[in-house]
Amino acid sequence: MDLGTRANWVEDIGERFSTVMAVFLPGGQTKKRERATRQCADQSIRRLTEDLLNNPQRDMQWQADFRSLQALLHLYSALVADELGEAVDAIAGKLLTAIERPVPDRQVIAQQLGALVDCR
């Protein structure tokens, strides 16, 4: 996936999250749809994290993927209940720091990805 495609992908995800929240929030199926949206976001975060771990750091694609992950984590934080938003922000910070290290700390990354799931 090239740099432009990745950026479009992140924008598309953001638009979908916004639409889902705006359209379905008042409905009776809110909890079910919110859960499905969070699961989709979780899968996307995991996939993007794996891409970052499997590609050379600091090239342009890696940097674009890293910014995409930052944006996705920010969106994920907005999707969870208010009291969990701060917890997700803290987890996101630890996850990004572990990925950004010269040698990514895979144990910390796995722990933080697990903690994100617990915030659902």
Side-chain angles (χ1 to χ4, degrees):
M1 206 179 272
D2 70 349
L3 189 61
T5 305
R6 273 273 185 211
N8 291 339
W9 175 80
V10 171
E11 287 178 320
D12 184 46
I13 294 281
E15 289 177 37
R16 287 181 188 197
F17 288 155
S18 298
T19 301
V20 167
M21 294 303 287
V23 172
F24 297 114
L25 194 58
Q29 296 286 327
T30 302
K31 294 287 183 193
K32 186 175 181 180
R33 287 190 176 105
E34 286 177 352
R35 184 173 38 253
T37 300
R38 285 191 304 269
Q39 287 173 340
C40 179
D42 183 58
Q43 289 171 353
S44 297
I45 289 167
R46 288 180 180 280
R47 195 170 328 127
L48 195 50
T49 299
E50 199 58 41
D51 286 348
L52 286 164
L53 293 175
N54 291 327
N55 292 314
Q57 286 186 350
R58 308 299 179 232
D59 67 5
M60 289 186 64
Q61 183 62 52
W62 191 93
Q63 291 179 11
D65 290 348
F66 190 78
R67 285 190 303 272
S68 297
L69 181 60
Q70 286 175 314
L72 195 52
L73 287 166
H74 181 72
L75 289 169
Y76 190 84
S77 176
L79 286 173
V80 297
D82 290 337
E83 63 273 2
L84 293 177
E86 288 182 28
V88 169
D89 287 339
I91 293 166
K94 291 176 186 174
L95 177 63
L96 292 169
T97 299
I99 291 170
E100 210 173 18
R101 293 180 61 167
V103 176
D105 189 335
R106 291 180 179 265
Q107 182 179 1
V108 170
I109 291 167
Q111 290 170 343
Q112 298 312 310
L113 288 173
L116 276 178
V117 171
D118 293 343
C119 287
R120 283 198 250 158

